[in-house]
Amino acid sequence: MSLTYSKMLALGTKLPSFNLTNVLTGDDFSSDSLSNDSGKVIMFICNHCPYVKAVIKDIVKDTKYLETLGIKSVAIMSNDVKNYPEDSFENMISFSKLHNFSFPYLIDESQQVAKNYGAVCTPDFFGYNNNLELQYRGRIRELKDHKPVTTGDSELRIAMKLVATSGKGPTKQTPSMGCNIKWFD
C-alpha cells in the first residue's frame, strides 16, 4: 500500500466517456447512459483498500442523498486483479452486496478508463455538473488514522449540492488520498 493523493485536474475538464461491465448485472454500462440531471459522481474504489473501507458507509450514504438531488453516481474498480485477487469480479459482487450499493459498480479490466480520468488512488472522486464539466476533485471527508472525521456533512456532499444548485463546485478543494491504483506490471 502506497499512500497517494489525487491529482487536481483542471476544473471544467469534460467527462471522459467509458463503456464497462456492471458487476451486479453483467451488462455493459456506458457513460452515455448517465442522464444529464443535476450532476454525476464518478469514483474509483476497490474492495481491499483500507481508505475505501474507512469511508464506504459514507460513500453509500452520500450517493443515496445525492440521488435525491438528481446526481447519479458510478463506482469503477481499475486494480490489477491478478496480483490483487480481493478485487476480482466475484469479490466486487460480494463487496457491493455487503455494502448495499445503490449505484453501478464497474470493472475497468484494461485500466484505460482510470488513465483517461487521471485517477491515481482509491478512493478518487470526480464530480461533474449537468454539462459534464468537472467541478469537484476532492475527498469525501478527512481521515485520521484510517477513520473518518465525522463532524458535519462530507466534503463530497457539500460540493455536489453546490454543483446541483449552481453548476459550479467550491473554490477550495482538498485532494483525496488513498492506496495507489494497482497498475499492471
mmCIF file with all atom_site columns, all heavy atoms in Angstrom, residues 156-180:
data_model
loop_
_atom_site.group_PDB
_atom_site.id
_atom_site.type_symbol
_atom_site.label_atom_id
_atom_site.label_alt_id
_atom_site.label_comp_id
_atom_site.label_asym_id
_atom_site.label_entity_id
_atom_site.label_seq_id
_atom_site.pdbx_PDB_ins_code
_atom_site.Cartn_x
_atom_site.Cartn_y
_atom_site.Cartn_z
_atom_site.occupancy
_atom_site.B_iso_or_equiv
_atom_site.pdbx_formal_charge
_atom_site.auth_seq_id
_atom_site.auth_comp_id
_atom_site.auth_asym_id
_atom_site.auth_atom_id
_atom_site.pdbx_PDB_model_num
ATOM 1   N N   . LEU A 1 156 ? -17.681 15.873 -0.071  1.00 0.00 ? 156 LEU A N   1
ATOM 2   C CA  . LEU A 1 156 ? -18.287 15.470 -1.341  1.00 0.00 ? 156 LEU A CA  1
ATOM 3   C C   . LEU A 1 156 ? -19.750 15.901 -1.384  1.00 0.00 ? 156 LEU A C   1
ATOM 4   O O   . LEU A 1 156 ? -20.208 16.474 -2.374  1.00 0.00 ? 156 LEU A O   1
ATOM 5   C CB  . LEU A 1 156 ? -18.168 13.956 -1.530  1.00 0.00 ? 156 LEU A CB  1
ATOM 6   C CG  . LEU A 1 156 ? -18.823 13.390 -2.788  1.00 0.00 ? 156 LEU A CG  1
ATOM 7   C CD1 . LEU A 1 156 ? -18.100 13.867 -4.040  1.00 0.00 ? 156 LEU A CD1 1
ATOM 8   C CD2 . LEU A 1 156 ? -18.853 11.865 -2.739  1.00 0.00 ? 156 LEU A CD2 1
ATOM 9   N N   . ARG A 1 157 ? -20.483 15.648 -0.335  1.00 0.00 ? 157 ARG A N   1
ATOM 10  C CA  . ARG A 1 157 ? -21.906 16.005 -0.278  1.00 0.00 ? 157 ARG A CA  1
ATOM 11  C C   . ARG A 1 157 ? -22.085 17.515 -0.411  1.00 0.00 ? 157 ARG A C   1
ATOM 12  O O   . ARG A 1 157 ? -22.925 17.993 -1.178  1.00 0.00 ? 157 ARG A O   1
ATOM 13  C CB  . ARG A 1 157 ? -22.504 15.521 1.039   1.00 0.00 ? 157 ARG A CB  1
ATOM 14  C CG  . ARG A 1 157 ? -23.991 15.817 1.161   1.00 0.00 ? 157 ARG A CG  1
ATOM 15  C CD  . ARG A 1 157 ? -24.505 15.500 2.536   1.00 0.00 ? 157 ARG A CD  1
ATOM 16  N NE  . ARG A 1 157 ? -24.691 14.092 2.744   1.00 0.00 ? 157 ARG A NE  1
ATOM 17  C CZ  . ARG A 1 157 ? -25.746 13.563 3.330   1.00 0.00 ? 157 ARG A CZ  1
ATOM 18  N NH1 . ARG A 1 157 ? -26.717 14.328 3.782   1.00 0.00 ? 157 ARG A NH1 1
ATOM 19  N NH2 . ARG A 1 157 ? -25.839 12.276 3.501   1.00 0.00 ? 157 ARG A NH2 1
ATOM 20  N N   . ILE A 1 158 ? -21.303 18.279 0.329   1.00 0.00 ? 158 ILE A N   1
ATOM 21  C CA  . ILE A 1 158 ? -21.397 19.744 0.278   1.00 0.00 ? 158 ILE A CA  1
ATOM 22  C C   . ILE A 1 158 ? -21.069 20.253 -1.116  1.00 0.00 ? 158 ILE A C   1
ATOM 23  O O   . ILE A 1 158 ? -21.780 21.092 -1.679  1.00 0.00 ? 158 ILE A O   1
ATOM 24  C CB  . ILE A 1 158 ? -20.470 20.380 1.340   1.00 0.00 ? 158 ILE A CB  1
ATOM 25  C CG1 . ILE A 1 158 ? -20.989 20.061 2.749   1.00 0.00 ? 158 ILE A CG1 1
ATOM 26  C CG2 . ILE A 1 158 ? -20.342 21.881 1.128   1.00 0.00 ? 158 ILE A CG2 1
ATOM 27  C CD1 . ILE A 1 158 ? -19.985 20.359 3.857   1.00 0.00 ? 158 ILE A CD1 1
ATOM 28  N N   . ALA A 1 159 ? -19.988 19.731 -1.696  1.00 0.00 ? 159 ALA A N   1
ATOM 29  C CA  . ALA A 1 159 ? -19.556 20.174 -3.025  1.00 0.00 ? 159 ALA A CA  1
ATOM 30  C C   . ALA A 1 159 ? -20.593 19.848 -4.085  1.00 0.00 ? 159 ALA A C   1
ATOM 31  O O   . ALA A 1 159 ? -20.938 20.695 -4.923  1.00 0.00 ? 159 ALA A O   1
ATOM 32  C CB  . ALA A 1 159 ? -18.219 19.527 -3.378  1.00 0.00 ? 159 ALA A CB  1
ATOM 33  N N   . MET A 1 160 ? -21.123 18.627 -4.061  1.00 0.00 ? 160 MET A N   1
ATOM 34  C CA  . MET A 1 160 ? -22.056 18.225 -5.104  1.00 0.00 ? 160 MET A CA  1
ATOM 35  C C   . MET A 1 160 ? -23.425 18.879 -4.937  1.00 0.00 ? 160 MET A C   1
ATOM 36  O O   . MET A 1 160 ? -24.127 19.112 -5.922  1.00 0.00 ? 160 MET A O   1
ATOM 37  C CB  . MET A 1 160 ? -22.153 16.704 -5.168  1.00 0.00 ? 160 MET A CB  1
ATOM 38  C CG  . MET A 1 160 ? -20.870 16.039 -5.665  1.00 0.00 ? 160 MET A CG  1
ATOM 39  S SD  . MET A 1 160 ? -20.192 16.725 -7.219  1.00 0.00 ? 160 MET A SD  1
ATOM 40  C CE  . MET A 1 160 ? -21.507 16.321 -8.385  1.00 0.00 ? 160 MET A CE  1
ATOM 41  N N   . LYS A 1 161 ? -23.790 19.228 -3.717  1.00 0.00 ? 161 LYS A N   1
ATOM 42  C CA  . LYS A 1 161 ? -25.017 20.003 -3.511  1.00 0.00 ? 161 LYS A CA  1
ATOM 43  C C   . LYS A 1 161 ? -24.865 21.380 -4.163  1.00 0.00 ? 161 LYS A C   1
ATOM 44  O O   . LYS A 1 161 ? -25.780 21.872 -4.815  1.00 0.00 ? 161 LYS A O   1
ATOM 45  C CB  . LYS A 1 161 ? -25.300 20.133 -2.015  1.00 0.00 ? 161 LYS A CB  1
ATOM 46  C CG  . LYS A 1 161 ? -26.623 20.764 -1.698  1.00 0.00 ? 161 LYS A CG  1
ATOM 47  C CD  . LYS A 1 161 ? -26.895 20.742 -0.208  1.00 0.00 ? 161 LYS A CD  1
ATOM 48  C CE  . LYS A 1 161 ? -28.231 21.375 0.113   1.00 0.00 ? 161 LYS A CE  1
ATOM 49  N NZ  . LYS A 1 161 ? -28.516 21.366 1.548   1.00 0.00 ? 161 LYS A NZ  1
ATOM 50  N N   . LEU A 1 162 ? -23.678 21.971 -4.015  1.00 0.00 ? 162 LEU A N   1
ATOM 51  C CA  . LEU A 1 162 ? -23.383 23.253 -4.660  1.00 0.00 ? 162 LEU A CA  1
ATOM 52  C C   . LEU A 1 162 ? -23.413 23.106 -6.184  1.00 0.00 ? 162 LEU A C   1
ATOM 53  O O   . LEU A 1 162 ? -23.976 23.952 -6.893  1.00 0.00 ? 162 LEU A O   1
ATOM 54  C CB  . LEU A 1 162 ? -22.023 23.774 -4.186  1.00 0.00 ? 162 LEU A CB  1
ATOM 55  C CG  . LEU A 1 162 ? -21.558 25.111 -4.747  1.00 0.00 ? 162 LEU A CG  1
ATOM 56  C CD1 . LEU A 1 162 ? -22.515 26.240 -4.352  1.00 0.00 ? 162 LEU A CD1 1
ATOM 57  C CD2 . LEU A 1 162 ? -20.148 25.424 -4.250  1.00 0.00 ? 162 LEU A CD2 1
ATOM 58  N N   . VAL A 1 163 ? -22.831 22.035 -6.689  1.00 0.00 ? 163 VAL A N   1
ATOM 59  C CA  . VAL A 1 163 ? -22.843 21.775 -8.135  1.00 0.00 ? 163 VAL A CA  1
ATOM 60  C C   . VAL A 1 163 ? -24.286 21.645 -8.629  1.00 0.00 ? 163 VAL A C   1
ATOM 61  O O   . VAL A 1 163 ? -24.641 22.185 -9.683  1.00 0.00 ? 163 VAL A O   1
ATOM 62  C CB  . VAL A 1 163 ? -22.020 20.513 -8.478  1.00 0.00 ? 163 VAL A CB  1
ATOM 63  C CG1 . VAL A 1 163 ? -22.238 20.085 -9.925  1.00 0.00 ? 163 VAL A CG1 1
ATOM 64  C CG2 . VAL A 1 163 ? -20.536 20.760 -8.219  1.00 0.00 ? 163 VAL A CG2 1
ATOM 65  N N   . ALA A 1 164 ? -25.129 20.937 -7.875  1.00 0.00 ? 164 ALA A N   1
ATOM 66  C CA  . ALA A 1 164 ? -26.524 20.748 -8.282  1.00 0.00 ? 164 ALA A CA  1
ATOM 67  C C   . ALA A 1 164 ? -27.292 22.055 -8.350  1.00 0.00 ? 164 ALA A C   1
ATOM 68  O O   . ALA A 1 164 ? -28.153 22.232 -9.214  1.00 0.00 ? 164 ALA A O   1
ATOM 69  C CB  . ALA A 1 164 ? -27.217 19.781 -7.329  1.00 0.00 ? 164 ALA A CB  1
ATOM 70  N N   . THR A 1 165 ? -26.995 22.981 -7.445  1.00 0.00 ? 165 THR A N   1
ATOM 71  C CA  . THR A 1 165 ? -27.754 24.231 -7.397  1.00 0.00 ? 165 THR A CA  1
ATOM 72  C C   . THR A 1 165 ? -27.152 25.344 -8.259  1.00 0.00 ? 165 THR A C   1
ATOM 73  O O   . THR A 1 165 ? -27.883 26.191 -8.759  1.00 0.00 ? 165 THR A O   1
ATOM 74  C CB  . THR A 1 165 ? -27.881 24.743 -5.945  1.00 0.00 ? 165 THR A CB  1
ATOM 75  O OG1 . THR A 1 165 ? -26.584 24.923 -5.384  1.00 0.00 ? 165 THR A OG1 1
ATOM 76  C CG2 . THR A 1 165 ? -28.687 23.770 -5.107  1.00 0.00 ? 165 THR A CG2 1
ATOM 77  N N   . SER A 1 166 ? -25.823 25.334 -8.441  1.00 0.00 ? 166 SER A N   1
ATOM 78  C CA  . SER A 1 166 ? -25.185 26.447 -9.161  1.00 0.00 ? 166 SER A CA  1
ATOM 79  C C   . SER A 1 166 ? -24.446 26.032 -10.435 1.00 0.00 ? 166 SER A C   1
ATOM 80  O O   . SER A 1 166 ? -24.070 26.888 -11.229 1.00 0.00 ? 166 SER A O   1
ATOM 81  C CB  . SER A 1 166 ? -24.194 27.154 -8.233  1.00 0.00 ? 166 SER A CB  1
ATOM 82  O OG  . SER A 1 166 ? -23.044 26.349 -8.033  1.00 0.00 ? 166 SER A OG  1
ATOM 83  N N   . GLY A 1 167 ? -24.186 24.737 -10.582 1.00 0.00 ? 167 GLY A N   1
ATOM 84  C CA  . GLY A 1 167 ? -23.401 24.273 -11.730 1.00 0.00 ? 167 GLY A CA  1
ATOM 85  C C   . GLY A 1 167 ? -21.907 24.388 -11.507 1.00 0.00 ? 167 GLY A C   1
ATOM 86  O O   . GLY A 1 167 ? -21.108 23.974 -12.349 1.00 0.00 ? 167 GLY A O   1
ATOM 87  N N   . LYS A 1 168 ? -21.508 24.938 -10.374 1.00 0.00 ? 168 LYS A N   1
ATOM 88  C CA  . LYS A 1 168 ? -20.087 25.132 -10.054 1.00 0.00 ? 168 LYS A CA  1
ATOM 89  C C   . LYS A 1 168 ? -19.755 24.478 -8.718  1.00 0.00 ? 168 LYS A C   1
ATOM 90  O O   . LYS A 1 168 ? -20.578 24.458 -7.805  1.00 0.00 ? 168 LYS A O   1
ATOM 91  C CB  . LYS A 1 168 ? -19.749 26.624 -9.950  1.00 0.00 ? 168 LYS A CB  1
ATOM 92  C CG  . LYS A 1 168 ? -19.963 27.402 -11.220 1.00 0.00 ? 168 LYS A CG  1
ATOM 93  C CD  . LYS A 1 168 ? -18.856 27.150 -12.196 1.00 0.00 ? 168 LYS A CD  1
ATOM 94  C CE  . LYS A 1 168 ? -19.018 28.013 -13.433 1.00 0.00 ? 168 LYS A CE  1
ATOM 95  N NZ  . LYS A 1 168 ? -18.085 27.663 -14.461 1.00 0.00 ? 168 LYS A NZ  1
ATOM 96  N N   . GLY A 1 169 ? -18.520 24.002 -8.597  1.00 0.00 ? 169 GLY A N   1
ATOM 97  C CA  . GLY A 1 169 ? -18.046 23.423 -7.344  1.00 0.00 ? 169 GLY A CA  1
ATOM 98  C C   . GLY A 1 169 ? -17.402 24.481 -6.470  1.00 0.00 ? 169 GLY A C   1
ATOM 99  O O   . GLY A 1 169 ? -17.247 25.638 -6.868  1.00 0.00 ? 169 GLY A O   1
ATOM 100 N N   . PRO A 1 170 ? -16.986 24.090 -5.266  1.00 0.00 ? 170 PRO A N   1
ATOM 101 C CA  . PRO A 1 170 ? -16.348 25.036 -4.351  1.00 0.00 ? 170 PRO A CA  1
ATOM 102 C C   . PRO A 1 170 ? -14.971 25.457 -4.861  1.00 0.00 ? 170 PRO A C   1
ATOM 103 O O   . PRO A 1 170 ? -14.309 24.719 -5.601  1.00 0.00 ? 170 PRO A O   1
ATOM 104 C CB  . PRO A 1 170 ? -16.226 24.247 -3.048  1.00 0.00 ? 170 PRO A CB  1
ATOM 105 C CG  . PRO A 1 170 ? -16.270 22.819 -3.449  1.00 0.00 ? 170 PRO A CG  1
ATOM 106 C CD  . PRO A 1 170 ? -17.080 22.747 -4.696  1.00 0.00 ? 170 PRO A CD  1
ATOM 107 N N   . THR A 1 171 ? -14.549 26.641 -4.458  1.00 0.00 ? 171 THR A N   1
ATOM 108 C CA  . THR A 1 171 ? -13.229 27.115 -4.879  1.00 0.00 ? 171 THR A CA  1
ATOM 109 C C   . THR A 1 171 ? -12.111 26.389 -4.138  1.00 0.00 ? 171 THR A C   1
ATOM 110 O O   . THR A 1 171 ? -11.046 26.162 -4.699  1.00 0.00 ? 171 THR A O   1
ATOM 111 C CB  . THR A 1 171 ? -13.089 28.637 -4.671  1.00 0.00 ? 171 THR A CB  1
ATOM 112 O OG1 . THR A 1 171 ? -13.405 28.944 -3.311  1.00 0.00 ? 171 THR A OG1 1
ATOM 113 C CG2 . THR A 1 171 ? -14.030 29.391 -5.594  1.00 0.00 ? 171 THR A CG2 1
ATOM 114 N N   . LYS A 1 172 ? -12.358 26.010 -2.879  1.00 0.00 ? 172 LYS A N   1
ATOM 115 C CA  . LYS A 1 172 ? -11.354 25.283 -2.097  1.00 0.00 ? 172 LYS A CA  1
ATOM 116 C C   . LYS A 1 172 ? -11.699 23.795 -2.132  1.00 0.00 ? 172 LYS A C   1
ATOM 117 O O   . LYS A 1 172 ? -12.806 23.405 -1.749  1.00 0.00 ? 172 LYS A O   1
ATOM 118 C CB  . LYS A 1 172 ? -11.333 25.782 -0.649  1.00 0.00 ? 172 LYS A CB  1
ATOM 119 C CG  . LYS A 1 172 ? -10.276 25.091 0.199   1.00 0.00 ? 172 LYS A CG  1
ATOM 120 C CD  . LYS A 1 172 ? -10.263 25.638 1.621   1.00 0.00 ? 172 LYS A CD  1
ATOM 121 C CE  . LYS A 1 172 ? -9.150  25.024 2.426   1.00 0.00 ? 172 LYS A CE  1
ATOM 122 N NZ  . LYS A 1 172 ? -9.511  23.828 3.122   1.00 0.00 ? 172 LYS A NZ  1
ATOM 123 N N   . GLN A 1 173 ? -10.739 22.996 -2.610  1.00 0.00 ? 173 GLN A N   1
ATOM 124 C CA  . GLN A 1 173 ? -10.933 21.553 -2.697  1.00 0.00 ? 173 GLN A CA  1
ATOM 125 C C   . GLN A 1 173 ? -9.676  20.857 -2.204  1.00 0.00 ? 173 GLN A C   1
ATOM 126 O O   . GLN A 1 173 ? -8.572  21.220 -2.593  1.00 0.00 ? 173 GLN A O   1
ATOM 127 C CB  . GLN A 1 173 ? -11.242 21.140 -4.136  1.00 0.00 ? 173 GLN A CB  1
ATOM 128 C CG  . GLN A 1 173 ? -12.490 21.813 -4.676  1.00 0.00 ? 173 GLN A CG  1
ATOM 129 C CD  . GLN A 1 173 ? -12.879 21.366 -6.067  1.00 0.00 ? 173 GLN A CD  1
ATOM 130 O OE1 . GLN A 1 173 ? -12.388 20.377 -6.583  1.00 0.00 ? 173 GLN A OE1 1
ATOM 131 N NE2 . GLN A 1 173 ? -13.799 22.101 -6.676  1.00 0.00 ? 173 GLN A NE2 1
ATOM 132 N N   . THR A 1 174 ? -9.858  19.855 -1.355  1.00 0.00 ? 174 THR A N   1
ATOM 133 C CA  . THR A 1 174 ? -8.739  19.102 -0.786  1.00 0.00 ? 174 THR A CA  1
ATOM 134 C C   . THR A 1 174 ? -8.625  17.767 -1.519  1.00 0.00 ? 174 THR A C   1
ATOM 135 O O   . THR A 1 174 ? -9.618  17.039 -1.604  1.00 0.00 ? 174 THR A O   1
ATOM 136 C CB  . THR A 1 174 ? -8.964  18.851 0.718   1.00 0.00 ? 174 THR A CB  1
ATOM 137 O OG1 . THR A 1 174 ? -9.172  20.110 1.368   1.00 0.00 ? 174 THR A OG1 1
ATOM 138 C CG2 . THR A 1 174 ? -7.778  18.138 1.337   1.00 0.00 ? 174 THR A CG2 1
ATOM 139 N N   . PRO A 1 175 ? -7.459  17.428 -2.044  1.00 0.00 ? 175 PRO A N   1
ATOM 140 C CA  . PRO A 1 175 ? -7.320  16.162 -2.781  1.00 0.00 ? 175 PRO A CA  1
ATOM 141 C C   . PRO A 1 175 ? -7.710  14.964 -1.929  1.00 0.00 ? 175 PRO A C   1
ATOM 142 O O   . PRO A 1 175 ? -7.543  14.962 -0.710  1.00 0.00 ? 175 PRO A O   1
ATOM 143 C CB  . PRO A 1 175 ? -5.830  16.099 -3.119  1.00 0.00 ? 175 PRO A CB  1
ATOM 144 C CG  . PRO A 1 175 ? -5.311  17.479 -2.957  1.00 0.00 ? 175 PRO A CG  1
ATOM 145 C CD  . PRO A 1 175 ? -6.192  18.148 -1.944  1.00 0.00 ? 175 PRO A CD  1
ATOM 146 N N   . SER A 1 176 ? -8.225  13.956 -2.604  1.00 0.00 ? 176 SER A N   1
ATOM 147 C CA  . SER A 1 176 ? -8.485  12.684 -1.946  1.00 0.00 ? 176 SER A CA  1
ATOM 148 C C   . SER A 1 176 ? -7.143  12.012 -1.688  1.00 0.00 ? 176 SER A C   1
ATOM 149 O O   . SER A 1 176 ? -6.121  12.371 -2.288  1.00 0.00 ? 176 SER A O   1
ATOM 150 C CB  . SER A 1 176 ? -9.344  11.803 -2.848  1.00 0.00 ? 176 SER A CB  1
ATOM 151 O OG  . SER A 1 176 ? -9.759  10.640 -2.177  1.00 0.00 ? 176 SER A OG  1
ATOM 152 N N   . MET A 1 177 ? -7.148  11.023 -0.799  1.00 0.00 ? 177 MET A N   1
ATOM 153 C CA  . MET A 1 177 ? -5.937  10.259 -0.552  1.00 0.00 ? 177 MET A CA  1
ATOM 154 C C   . MET A 1 177 ? -6.333  8.819  -0.318  1.00 0.00 ? 177 MET A C   1
ATOM 155 O O   . MET A 1 177 ? -7.418  8.524  0.180   1.00 0.00 ? 177 MET A O   1
ATOM 156 C CB  . MET A 1 177 ? -5.151  10.794 0.633   1.00 0.00 ? 177 MET A CB  1
ATOM 157 C CG  . MET A 1 177 ? -5.906  10.763 1.946   1.00 0.00 ? 177 MET A CG  1
ATOM 158 S SD  . MET A 1 177 ? -4.923  11.434 3.283   1.00 0.00 ? 177 MET A SD  1
ATOM 159 C CE  . MET A 1 177 ? -4.839  10.012 4.350   1.00 0.00 ? 177 MET A CE  1
ATOM 160 N N   . GLY A 1 178 ? -5.440  7.919  -0.704  1.00 0.00 ? 178 GLY A N   1
ATOM 161 C CA  . GLY A 1 178 ? -5.713  6.503  -0.504  1.00 0.00 ? 178 GLY A CA  1
ATOM 162 C C   . GLY A 1 178 ? -4.596  5.668  -1.068  1.00 0.00 ? 178 GLY A C   1
ATOM 163 O O   . GLY A 1 178 ? -3.495  6.162  -1.346  1.00 0.00 ? 178 GLY A O   1
ATOM 164 N N   . CYS A 1 179 ? -4.890  4.391  -1.256  1.00 0.00 ? 179 CYS A N   1
ATOM 165 C CA  . CYS A 1 179 ? -3.908  3.480  -1.856  1.00 0.00 ? 179 CYS A CA  1
ATOM 166 C C   . CYS A 1 179 ? -3.766  3.811  -3.334  1.00 0.00 ? 179 CYS A C   1
ATOM 167 O O   . CYS A 1 179 ? -4.739  4.184  -3.982  1.00 0.00 ? 179 CYS A O   1
ATOM 168 C CB  . CYS A 1 179 ? -4.392  2.029  -1.733  1.00 0.00 ? 179 CYS A CB  1
ATOM 169 S SG  . CYS A 1 179 ? -4.603  1.457  -0.047  1.00 0.00 ? 179 CYS A SG  1
ATOM 170 N N   . ASN A 1 180 ? -2.568  3.655  -3.843  1.00 0.00 ? 180 ASN A N   1
ATOM 171 C CA  . ASN A 1 180 ? -2.384  3.863  -5.272  1.00 0.00 ? 180 ASN A CA  1
ATOM 172 C C   . ASN A 1 180 ? -3.155  2.793  -6.053  1.00 0.00 ? 180 ASN A C   1
ATOM 173 O O   . ASN A 1 180 ? -3.351  1.672  -5.574  1.00 0.00 ? 180 ASN A O   1
ATOM 174 C CB  . ASN A 1 180 ? -0.901  3.816  -5.647  1.00 0.00 ? 180 ASN A CB  1
ATOM 175 C CG  . ASN A 1 180 ? -0.265  2.482  -5.333  1.00 0.00 ? 180 ASN A CG  1
ATOM 176 O OD1 . ASN A 1 180 ? -0.279  2.016  -4.190  1.00 0.00 ? 180 ASN A OD1 1
ATOM 177 N ND2 . ASN A 1 180 ? 0.303   1.840  -6.342  1.00 0.00 ? 180 ASN A ND2 1
#
